[in-house]
Amino acid sequence: GVSTIAEEAAIASLDAEDELLARVRHLIDERTRVWEALRDQGWTVHRTEANFVWLRLGEDSGAFAAACEAAGITVRTFGNEGVRITIAEQEANDRVITVAGALRERLG
């Protein structure tokens, strides 16, 4: 069961396929850019096909989330396992990369 509004939104998306595909391409490009930047900083980050990247940070998960929050970025923390970083617009992704780089330098 899908609501009428959801059905209309899906049809509108299909009618704007070129725009939809451009958005998807942009998301993929940004995801790749963030993944590569984190990898280049020395983080272990696995490839993903989702709209987020996963950083296994263990005990440093909370510190990373707090640093992101101070930079105006919200990440989803999973206890002492890691954080899920949703791919967003370039400016927000740049801030995540900067925060991750600073934390990486601190941790050595």
Side-chain angles (χ1 to χ4, degrees), residues 1-106:
V2 176
S3 71
T4 302
I5 293 172
E7 184 178 328
E8 289 172 2
I11 291 169
S13 290
L14 293 173
D15 288 341
E17 184 176 7
D18 290 343
E19 182 180 334
L20 177 65
L21 293 176
R23 284 177 168 177
V24 170
R25 179 83 248 148
H26 177 73
L27 177 99
I28 291 169
D29 291 346
E30 274 298 291
R31 180 186 65 210
T32 300
R33 186 178 74 84
V34 170
W35 179 84
E36 288 175 347
L38 295 173
R39 184 199 60 200
D40 291 349
Q41 290 174 353
W43 297 106
T44 300
V45 56
H46 299 284
R47 286 245 184 227
T48 179
E49 298 298 319
N51 67 334
F52 63 89
V53 294
W54 170 256
L55 264 185
R56 184 174 300 279
L57 297 171
E59 294 176 359
D60 297 314
S61 299
F64 183 85
C68 283
E69 185 174 335
I73 302 297
T74 302
V75 296
R76 184 161 180 204
T77 307
F78 289 84
N80 284 332
E81 291 182 42
V83 296
R84 173 184 159 159
I85 303 167
T86 300
I87 302 303
E89 58 279 337
Q90 185 175 347
E91 179 186 346
N93 295 334
D94 288 345
R95 283 191 266 158
V96 167
I97 292 166
T98 299
V99 167
L103 182 61
R104 191 74 190 151
E105 286 180 18
R106 236 181 39 224

